[in-house]
Amino acid sequence: MTATGCLAANDWICGEYVRSRRYELLDAVVQHVGIAFSSVVLGLVVAFPLALAARRWGAGPVLGLTTVLYTIPSLAMFALLLPVFGISAGIVVTGLVLYSLTVLVRNLIAGFEAVPEEVREAARGMGYGPRQLLLGVELPLLLPALMAGVRIATVSAISLTTVGAIVGYGGLGNLIYSGMENFFKAEVLTASAICVVLAVLADLLLLGLQWLITPWSRHRAGRGKVL
Amino acid sequence: MSSSWETIPALWQWLSTGSNWSGENGAWQRIAEHLVLTSTSLGLACAIALPAAAWLGHIGRGGALAINISNIGRAVPTFAVLVLLTLSPLGEHGDWPTIIALVLFAVPPLLTNAYVGVREVDHDVVEAARGMGMSGWHLLRRVELPLAFPLIMTGIRSAVVQVVATATLAALPGGGGLGRIITAGFRTYDTAQVVAGAALVAMLALAAEGVLVAVSQVFDPARRRTKAERRWRRAGQGPSTYNEAGALPVSERKPV
């Protein structure tokens, strides 16, 4: 079978498709990563004050609200945001930010709770003020919990960005959508596979980042119970 | 498409128009389709996952497998799986691509939670039961399953939320369910219909979650425990599927 043969035969796997549409694929990847990345970053920016507020005034309302948002299916979420933003990438990013809040806020709160009270006492005894305590002691100690949340939020965001195809801002999801409408198997499979690869790569990168920024946890890695 | 301020009266208009609810493409029909899809696939997923998880938890094997399935599953976009199944030869068989996709995404939370629930039952309790002469099937049915109940219900809740959400997405490749109201609205540039469909889906998802919370409280075998014991369990001291950060159940996957 010749190289163009697989396009004509509508095979699932087709090197010619990848070669001839590589710029289209690249654009889709750039849009995909842009949407997923900016929503996790924005999610972090929003989650921090929420977690601090939850710590001060009780976690109930914040956790309740974010959990309710989490339950709303993405197609419905994007549709509900349609009148607010019109057709734009803002719909997808906002939806994903709202979803990422659930994981990020929950993990931040759990991280704060996991900081031993003795450590706080010791820091206060050494003359740390509230801000120094937060930035110098609590923040580093809750990094593992936070990073676990960021990993889950990122992988979910990459997977959910595909649904943004409904408004034309779904990155690789756009290709899956058009492939579905034209019954173009190679387009669907290639875009789906790249999507999974992106999610796994992002997860590994974040794992590496966590390894870099928490040097102290490496020494007791062997003892930690991982489940 | 109309702007946001015109949407609310238009939404009300859509919801209060009888013809939008009746007939072959009406909202009642879509709700019925959604419920049929959801309950069929949930039944299948439970029939596959729960016995397997209970047995694996009982003999204490396959834990890494259960957790890895959940982790890999999170990276695979549900939309991609739905479209791939629809384009495969299965696509000619009506609702089957949708049902299979729904089952695929319902199994991991069911499997992981039930496995961990049975696995993490207090060892002393199991030993005591053995000492009383219980073994195998008896031990599983009388001791391990009742103690694992809260986690099994957590798994079922995640699965239901997951399935309700995925059934919405099934409308993109032309399946039935409530998502069809949204996709049809997009096609005709009818913002009111898009938002009305979304509101119905959101309400159904929240209602499903609410019903399950109630069901798990009514059927909890530990319902008659003392308040202190329940507080202890809620505080997370009991068996749990929590990850290294102690923050999020390992089976957690954002419902699509």
Side-chain angles (χ1 to χ4, degrees):
Chain A
M1 192 180 277
T2 58
T4 42
C6 66
L7 275 180
N10 196 16
D11 287 339
W12 283 106
I13 299 170
C14 183
E16 183 57 25
Y17 165 75
V18 181
R19 267 191 298 281
S20 61
R21 311 284 174 95
R22 59 180 181 277
Y23 294 111
E24 195 181 283
L25 281 167
L26 197 66
D27 285 348
V29 169
V30 168
Q31 188 186 70
H32 203 110
V33 172
I35 288 174
F37 182 76
S38 49
S39 49
V40 175
V41 170
L42 280 173
L44 272 172
V45 171
V46 183
F48 258 104
L50 280 179
L52 289 176
R55 188 161 71 138
R56 171 160 264 180
W57 293 295
V62 174
L63 283 182
L65 184 68
T66 52
T67 308
V68 165
L69 289 174
Y70 206 62
T71 314
I72 298 174
S74 55
L75 191 62
M77 180 69 97
F78 296 156
L80 282 172
L81 291 169
L82 177 68
V84 186
F85 291 91
I87 296 227
S88 70
I91 288 185
V92 185
V93 173
T94 310
L96 295 179
V97 166
L98 292 177
Y99 288 145
S100 70
L101 286 183
T102 317
V103 184
L104 295 175
V105 171
R106 244 197 281 181
N107 278 39
L108 276 171
I109 291 174
F112 274 123
E113 279 170 4
V115 175
E117 201 48 49
E118 301 89 63
V119 173
R120 285 201 188 93
E121 283 304 315
R124 282 194 202 103
M126 286 166 71
Y128 275 52
R131 247 186 68 192
Q132 278 174 309
L133 182 68
L134 177 67
L135 296 177
V137 178
E138 289 175 318
L139 203 57
L141 285 177
L142 61 77
L143 272 179
L146 178 62
M147 286 304 289
V150 171
R151 282 172 60 198
I152 293 175
T154 307
V155 174
S156 306
I158 291 176
S159 150
L160 281 174
T161 300
T162 52
V163 183
I166 184 78
V167 287
Y169 289 92
L172 292 157
N174 294 340
L175 299 182
I176 298 177
Y177 198 84
S178 77
M180 173 188 87
E181 293 195 314
N182 304 319
F183 216 81
F184 190 175
K185 291 177 180 173
E187 189 174 28
V188 172
L189 187 64
T190 311
S192 309
I194 297 178
C195 222
V196 175
V197 170
L198 278 182
V200 174
L201 268 182
D203 200 35
L204 289 176
L205 276 176
L206 286 170
L207 202 60
L209 179 68
Q210 183 180 354
W211 190 81
L212 278 178
I213 60 176
T214 56
W216 59 88
S217 63
R218 278 172 234 162
H219 307 295
R220 31 187 187 95
R223 276 195 282 143
K225 183 183 160 219
V226 178
L227 182 64
Chain B
M1 297 257 166
S2 54
S3 79
S4 58
W5 289 115
E6 295 156 25
T7 309
I8 293 164
L11 168 69
W12 182 245
Q13 173 96 43
W14 196 96
L15 287 173
S16 56
T17 304
S19 60
N20 288 330
W21 289 82
S22 57
E24 217 172 292
N25 295 320
W28 287 123
Q29 171 66 20
R30 296 302 181 207
I31 292 174
E33 286 169 4
H34 211 97
L35 292 177
V36 168
L37 280 176
T38 310
S39 45
T40 312
S41 29
L42 204 72
L44 278 173
C46 282
I48 296 167
L50 293 184
W55 181 246
L56 287 172
H58 178 69
I59 60 172
R61 302 235 167 110
L65 182 77
I67 286 163
N68 282 332
I69 288 177
S70 300
N71 283 343
I72 296 166
R74 205 182 288 132
V76 181
T78 312
F79 177 43
V81 172
L82 269 169
V83 175
L84 285 171
L85 286 172
T86 311
L87 293 191
S88 75
L90 269 173
E92 291 150 24
H93 300 278
D95 280 336
W96 280 105
T98 310
I99 292 176
I100 291 173
L102 292 174
V103 171
L104 281 179
F105 289 108
V107 162
L110 291 171
L111 196 68
T112 330
N113 282 290
Y115 172 83
V116 176
V118 173
R119 185 78 205 107
E120 303 268 295
V121 168
D122 193 341
H123 232 73
D124 298 340
V125 177
V126 174
E127 284 308 309
R130 279 193 209 282
M132 286 165 70
M134 282 195 197
S135 66
W137 173 241
H138 250 91
L139 185 66
L140 182 65
R141 213 178 68 87
R142 303 288 302 274
V143 178
E144 290 171 329
L145 285 183
L147 287 173
F149 181 85
L151 268 183
I152 296 176
M153 280 313 291
T154 304
I156 293 179
R157 260 171 67 190
S158 315
V160 168
V161 174
Q162 189 66 53
V163 161
V164 168
T166 314
T168 312
L169 213 54
L172 287 177
L178 273 172
R180 276 293 272 277
I181 300 178
I182 301 175
T183 53
F186 265 108
R187 240 161 245 145
T188 52
Y189 299 99
D190 185 347
T191 308
Q193 183 177 336
V194 171
V195 176
L200 289 175
V201 172
M203 278 188 274
L204 188 74
L206 294 175
E209 171 91 353
V211 166
L212 278 154
V213 171
V215 166
S216 64
Q217 271 166 11
V218 170
F219 288 100
D220 190 347
R223 192 158 49 114
R224 276 169 301 221
R225 287 181 185 211
T226 63
K227 264 189 183 158
E229 266 178 302
R230 260 182 277 147
R231 212 178 302 126
W232 176 76
R233 274 166 66 144
R234 236 178 299 148
Q237 312 283 309
S240 73
T241 45
Y242 284 59
N243 63 10
E244 58 193 287
L248 198 80
V250 277
S251 64
E252 197 77 30
R253 177 193 158 92
K254 164 70 192 92
V256 282

CSV table of all heavy atoms in Angstrom, one decimal, chain B residues 118-155:
chain,number,residue,atom,x,y,z
B,118,VAL,N,-12.6,-3.1,51.1
B,118,VAL,CA,-12.5,-4.4,51.7
B,118,VAL,C,-11.1,-4.7,52.2
B,118,VAL,O,-10.9,-5.3,53.3
B,118,VAL,CB,-12.9,-5.5,50.6
B,118,VAL,CG1,-12.6,-6.9,51.1
B,118,VAL,CG2,-14.3,-5.3,50.2
B,119,ARG,N,-10.1,-4.2,51.5
B,119,ARG,CA,-8.7,-4.5,51.8
B,119,ARG,C,-8.3,-3.8,53.1
B,119,ARG,O,-7.6,-4.4,53.9
B,119,ARG,CB,-7.8,-3.8,50.7
B,119,ARG,CG,-6.4,-4.1,50.8
B,119,ARG,CD,-6.0,-5.5,50.3
B,119,ARG,NE,-4.8,-6.0,50.9
B,119,ARG,CZ,-4.8,-6.9,51.9
B,119,ARG,NH1,-5.9,-7.4,52.4
B,119,ARG,NH2,-3.6,-7.3,52.4
B,120,GLU,N,-8.9,-2.6,53.4
B,120,GLU,CA,-8.4,-1.9,54.5
B,120,GLU,C,-9.3,-2.1,55.8
B,120,GLU,O,-9.1,-1.3,56.7
B,120,GLU,CB,-8.4,-0.4,54.2
B,120,GLU,CG,-7.6,0.0,53.0
B,120,GLU,CD,-6.1,0.4,53.4
B,120,GLU,OE1,-6.0,1.4,54.1
B,120,GLU,OE2,-5.2,-0.4,53.0
B,121,VAL,N,-10.1,-3.1,55.7
B,121,VAL,CA,-10.9,-3.4,57.0
B,121,VAL,C,-9.9,-3.8,58.1
B,121,VAL,O,-8.9,-4.5,57.8
B,121,VAL,CB,-11.8,-4.6,56.7
B,121,VAL,CG1,-12.4,-5.1,58.0
B,121,VAL,CG2,-12.9,-4.2,55.8
B,122,ASP,N,-10.1,-3.3,59.2
B,122,ASP,CA,-9.2,-3.4,60.4
B,122,ASP,C,-8.8,-4.9,60.5
B,122,ASP,O,-9.6,-5.8,60.6
B,122,ASP,CB,-9.9,-3.0,61.7
B,122,ASP,CG,-8.9,-2.8,62.8
B,122,ASP,OD1,-7.9,-3.4,62.7
B,122,ASP,OD2,-9.3,-2.1,63.8
B,123,HIS,N,-7.5,-5.1,60.5
B,123,HIS,CA,-7.0,-6.5,60.6
B,123,HIS,C,-7.4,-7.2,61.8
B,123,HIS,O,-7.7,-8.4,61.8
B,123,HIS,CB,-5.4,-6.4,60.5
B,123,HIS,CG,-4.9,-7.3,59.4
B,123,HIS,ND1,-5.0,-6.9,58.1
B,123,HIS,CD2,-4.3,-8.5,59.5
B,123,HIS,CE1,-4.5,-7.9,57.4
B,123,HIS,NE2,-4.0,-8.8,58.2
B,124,ASP,N,-7.4,-6.5,62.9
B,124,ASP,CA,-7.8,-7.2,64.2
B,124,ASP,C,-9.3,-7.7,64.1
B,124,ASP,O,-9.6,-8.8,64.6
B,124,ASP,CB,-7.8,-6.1,65.4
B,124,ASP,CG,-6.3,-5.7,65.6
B,124,ASP,OD1,-5.4,-6.4,65.1
B,124,ASP,OD2,-6.1,-4.6,66.2
B,125,VAL,N,-10.1,-6.9,63.4
B,125,VAL,CA,-11.5,-7.4,63.3
B,125,VAL,C,-11.6,-8.7,62.5
B,125,VAL,O,-12.3,-9.6,62.8
B,125,VAL,CB,-12.4,-6.3,62.6
B,125,VAL,CG1,-13.8,-6.7,62.4
B,125,VAL,CG2,-12.3,-5.0,63.4
B,126,VAL,N,-10.8,-8.7,61.4
B,126,VAL,CA,-10.8,-9.9,60.5
B,126,VAL,C,-10.2,-11.1,61.3
B,126,VAL,O,-10.8,-12.2,61.3
B,126,VAL,CB,-9.9,-9.6,59.3
B,126,VAL,CG1,-9.8,-10.9,58.5
B,126,VAL,CG2,-10.5,-8.5,58.4
B,127,GLU,N,-9.2,-10.8,62.1
B,127,GLU,CA,-8.6,-11.9,62.9
B,127,GLU,C,-9.6,-12.4,63.9
B,127,GLU,O,-9.8,-13.7,64.1
B,127,GLU,CB,-7.3,-11.4,63.6
B,127,GLU,CG,-6.1,-11.3,62.7
B,127,GLU,CD,-5.8,-12.6,62.0
B,127,GLU,OE1,-5.8,-13.7,62.6
B,127,GLU,OE2,-5.7,-12.5,60.7
B,128,ALA,N,-10.3,-11.5,64.5
B,128,ALA,CA,-11.3,-11.9,65.5
B,128,ALA,C,-12.4,-12.7,64.9
B,128,ALA,O,-12.8,-13.8,65.5
B,128,ALA,CB,-11.9,-10.6,66.2
B,129,ALA,N,-12.8,-12.3,63.7
B,129,ALA,CA,-13.9,-13.1,63.0
B,129,ALA,C,-13.4,-14.5,62.7
B,129,ALA,O,-14.1,-15.5,62.8
B,129,ALA,CB,-14.3,-12.3,61.7
B,130,ARG,N,-12.1,-14.6,62.2
B,130,ARG,CA,-11.5,-15.9,61.9
B,130,ARG,C,-11.5,-16.7,63.2
B,130,ARG,O,-11.8,-17.9,63.2
B,130,ARG,CB,-10.1,-15.7,61.4
B,130,ARG,CG,-10.0,-15.4,60.0
B,130,ARG,CD,-8.6,-15.6,59.5
B,130,ARG,NE,-8.3,-14.6,58.4
B,130,ARG,CZ,-8.7,-14.9,57.2
B,130,ARG,NH1,-9.4,-15.9,56.8
B,130,ARG,NH2,-8.4,-14.0,56.2
B,131,GLY,N,-11.2,-16.1,64.3
B,131,GLY,CA,-11.1,-16.8,65.6
B,131,GLY,C,-12.5,-17.4,66.0
B,131,GLY,O,-12.6,-18.4,66.6
B,132,MET,N,-13.5,-16.6,65.5
B,132,MET,CA,-14.9,-17.1,65.8
B,132,MET,C,-15.3,-18.2,64.9
B,132,MET,O,-16.5,-18.7,64.9
B,132,MET,CB,-15.9,-16.0,65.7
B,132,MET,CG,-15.8,-15.0,66.9
B,132,MET,SD,-16.7,-13.5,66.5
B,132,MET,CE,-18.3,-14.1,66.6
B,133,GLY,N,-14.4,-18.6,64.0
B,133,GLY,CA,-14.7,-19.7,63.1
B,133,GLY,C,-15.2,-19.3,61.7
B,133,GLY,O,-15.7,-20.1,60.9
B,134,MET,N,-15.2,-18.0,61.4
B,134,MET,CA,-15.7,-17.5,60.1
B,134,MET,C,-14.6,-17.7,59.1
B,134,MET,O,-13.4,-17.6,59.4
B,134,MET,CB,-16.0,-16.0,60.1
B,134,MET,CG,-17.3,-15.7,60.8
B,134,MET,SD,-17.8,-14.0,60.3
B,134,MET,CE,-19.0,-13.7,61.5
B,135,SER,N,-15.0,-18.1,57.9
B,135,SER,CA,-14.0,-18.2,56.9
B,135,SER,C,-14.6,-17.8,55.5
B,135,SER,O,-15.8,-17.7,55.4
B,135,SER,CB,-13.4,-19.6,56.8
B,135,SER,OG,-14.5,-20.4,56.4
B,136,GLY,N,-13.7,-17.5,54.6
B,136,GLY,CA,-14.1,-17.3,53.2
B,136,GLY,C,-15.3,-16.4,53.0
B,136,GLY,O,-15.3,-15.2,53.4
B,137,TRP,N,-16.3,-17.0,52.4
B,137,TRP,CA,-17.5,-16.3,52.0
B,137,TRP,C,-18.2,-15.6,53.2
B,137,TRP,O,-18.6,-14.5,53.1
B,137,TRP,CB,-18.4,-17.4,51.4
B,137,TRP,CG,-19.8,-16.9,51.1
B,137,TRP,CD1,-21.0,-17.3,51.6
B,137,TRP,CD2,-20.2,-15.8,50.2
B,137,TRP,NE1,-22.0,-16.6,51.1
B,137,TRP,CE2,-21.6,-15.7,50.2
B,137,TRP,CE3,-19.4,-15.0,49.4
B,137,TRP,CZ2,-22.2,-14.7,49.4
B,137,TRP,CZ3,-20.1,-14.0,48.6
B,137,TRP,CH2,-21.5,-13.9,48.6
B,138,HIS,N,-18.3,-16.3,54.4
B,138,HIS,CA,-18.9,-15.8,55.6
B,138,HIS,C,-18.2,-14.5,56.0
B,138,HIS,O,-18.8,-13.5,56.3
B,138,HIS,CB,-18.8,-16.8,56.7
B,138,HIS,CG,-20.1,-17.4,57.0
B,138,HIS,ND1,-20.6,-18.5,56.4
B,138,HIS,CD2,-21.1,-16.9,57.8
B,138,HIS,CE1,-21.8,-18.7,56.9
B,138,HIS,NE2,-22.1,-17.8,57.7
B,139,LEU,N,-16.9,-14.5,56.1
B,139,LEU,CA,-16.1,-13.4,56.5
B,139,LEU,C,-16.3,-12.2,55.6
B,139,LEU,O,-16.6,-11.1,56.0
B,139,LEU,CB,-14.6,-13.8,56.4
B,139,LEU,CG,-13.6,-12.8,56.9
B,139,LEU,CD1,-13.7,-12.6,58.4
B,139,LEU,CD2,-12.2,-13.3,56.6
B,140,LEU,N,-16.3,-12.5,54.3
B,140,LEU,CA,-16.6,-11.4,53.3
B,140,LEU,C,-17.9,-10.8,53.5
B,140,LEU,O,-18.1,-9.6,53.5
B,140,LEU,CB,-16.4,-12.0,51.9
B,140,LEU,CG,-16.6,-11.0,50.7
B,140,LEU,CD1,-15.4,-10.0,50.8
B,140,LEU,CD2,-16.6,-11.7,49.4
B,141,ARG,N,-18.9,-11.7,53.6
B,141,ARG,CA,-20.3,-11.2,53.6
B,141,ARG,C,-20.7,-10.5,55.0
B,141,ARG,O,-21.4,-9.5,55.0
B,141,ARG,CB,-21.3,-12.3,53.3
B,141,ARG,CG,-22.5,-11.9,52.5
B,141,ARG,CD,-23.4,-13.1,52.3
B,141,ARG,NE,-23.9,-13.7,53.5
B,141,ARG,CZ,-25.1,-13.2,54.0
B,141,ARG,NH1,-25.8,-12.3,53.4
B,141,ARG,NH2,-25.5,-13.8,55.1
B,142,ARG,N,-20.3,-11.1,56.1
B,142,ARG,CA,-20.7,-10.6,57.4
B,142,ARG,C,-19.8,-9.6,58.0
B,142,ARG,O,-20.2,-8.8,58.8
B,142,ARG,CB,-20.8,-11.8,58.3
B,142,ARG,CG,-21.7,-13.0,57.9
B,142,ARG,CD,-23.1,-12.6,58.0
B,142,ARG,NE,-23.5,-12.2,59.3
B,142,ARG,CZ,-23.9,-13.0,60.2
B,142,ARG,NH1,-24.0,-14.3,60.0
B,142,ARG,NH2,-24.3,-12.6,61.4
B,143,VAL,N,-18.5,-9.6,57.6
B,143,VAL,CA,-17.6,-8.6,58.2
B,143,VAL,C,-17.0,-7.6,57.2
B,143,VAL,O,-17.2,-6.4,57.4
B,143,VAL,CB,-16.4,-9.4,58.9
B,143,VAL,CG1,-15.5,-8.4,59.5
B,143,VAL,CG2,-17.0,-10.4,59.9
B,144,GLU,N,-16.4,-8.1,56.2
B,144,GLU,CA,-15.7,-7.2,55.3
B,144,GLU,C,-16.6,-6.3,54.5
B,144,GLU,O,-16.4,-5.1,54.5
B,144,GLU,CB,-14.7,-8.0,54.4
B,144,GLU,CG,-13.6,-8.6,55.1
B,144,GLU,CD,-12.8,-9.6,54.3
B,144,GLU,OE1,-13.3,-10.2,53.4
B,144,GLU,OE2,-11.6,-9.7,54.5
B,145,LEU,N,-17.6,-6.8,53.9
B,145,LEU,CA,-18.5,-6.0,53.1
B,145,LEU,C,-19.3,-4.9,53.9
B,145,LEU,O,-19.3,-3.7,53.5
B,145,LEU,CB,-19.5,-6.8,52.3
B,145,LEU,CG,-18.9,-7.5,51.1
B,145,LEU,CD1,-20.0,-8.3,50.3
B,145,LEU,CD2,-18.2,-6.6,50.1
B,146,PRO,N,-19.8,-5.3,55.1
B,146,PRO,CA,-20.5,-4.2,55.8
B,146,PRO,C,-19.5,-3.1,56.3
B,146,PRO,O,-19.9,-1.9,56.2
B,146,PRO,CB,-21.0,-5.0,57.1
B,146,PRO,CG,-21.2,-6.4,56.7
B,146,PRO,CD,-20.1,-6.6,55.6
B,147,LEU,N,-18.3,-3.5,56.6
B,147,LEU,CA,-17.3,-2.5,57.0
B,147,LEU,C,-16.9,-1.6,55.8
B,147,LEU,O,-16.5,-0.5,56.0
B,147,LEU,CB,-16.1,-3.1,57.7
B,147,LEU,CG,-16.5,-3.6,59.1
B,147,LEU,CD1,-15.3,-4.4,59.7
B,147,LEU,CD2,-16.8,-2.4,60.0
B,148,ALA,N,-16.9,-2.2,54.6
B,148,ALA,CA,-16.4,-1.5,53.4
B,148,ALA,C,-17.5,-0.7,52.8
B,148,ALA,O,-17.3,0.1,51.9
B,148,ALA,CB,-15.9,-2.5,52.4
B,149,PHE,N,-18.7,-0.8,53.4
B,149,PHE,CA,-19.9,-0.1,52.8
B,149,PHE,C,-19.7,1.3,52.5
B,149,PHE,O,-20.0,1.8,51.3
B,149,PHE,CB,-21.1,-0.3,53.7
B,149,PHE,CG,-22.4,0.3,53.1
B,149,PHE,CD1,-23.2,-0.4,52.2
B,149,PHE,CD2,-22.8,1.5,53.5
B,149,PHE,CE1,-24.3,0.1,51.7
B,149,PHE,CE2,-23.9,2.1,52.9
B,149,PHE,CZ,-24.7,1.4,52.0
B,150,PRO,N,-19.2,2.1,53.4
B,150,PRO,CA,-19.1,3.6,53.1
B,150,PRO,C,-18.3,3.8,51.8
B,150,PRO,O,-18.6,4.6,51.0
B,150,PRO,CB,-18.4,4.2,54.3
B,150,PRO,CG,-18.7,3.2,55.4
B,150,PRO,CD,-18.8,1.9,54.8
B,151,LEU,N,-17.2,3.1,51.7
B,151,LEU,CA,-16.3,3.3,50.6
B,151,LEU,C,-16.9,2.8,49.3
B,151,LEU,O,-16.8,3.3,48.2
B,151,LEU,CB,-14.9,2.6,50.8
B,151,LEU,CG,-13.9,3.6,51.4
B,151,LEU,CD1,-12.6,2.9,51.5
B,151,LEU,CD2,-13.7,4.8,50.5
B,152,ILE,N,-17.6,1.6,49.4
B,152,ILE,CA,-18.3,1.1,48.2
B,152,ILE,C,-19.3,2.1,47.7
B,152,ILE,O,-19.4,2.4,46.5
B,152,ILE,CB,-19.0,-0.2,48.5
B,152,ILE,CG1,-17.9,-1.3,48.9
B,152,ILE,CG2,-19.8,-0.7,47.3
B,152,ILE,CD1,-18.5,-2.6,49.3
B,153,MET,N,-20.0,2.8,48.6
B,153,MET,CA,-21.0,3.8,48.2
B,153,MET,C,-20.3,5.0,47.6
B,153,MET,O,-20.9,5.6,46.7
B,153,MET,CB,-21.9,4.2,49.5
B,153,MET,CG,-23.0,3.2,49.8
B,153,MET,SD,-24.0,2.7,48.4
B,153,MET,CE,-24.8,4.3,48.0
B,154,THR,N,-19.2,5.4,48.2
B,154,THR,CA,-18.4,6.5,47.6
B,154,THR,C,-18.1,6.2,46.1
B,154,THR,O,-18.3,7.0,45.3
B,154,THR,CB,-17.1,6.7,48.4
B,154,THR,OG1,-17.4,6.9,49.7
B,154,THR,CG2,-16.3,7.9,47.8
B,155,GLY,N,-17.7,4.9,45.9
B,155,GLY,CA,-17.4,4.5,44.5
B,155,GLY,C,-18.6,4.6,43.6
B,155,GLY,O,-18.5,5.1,42.5
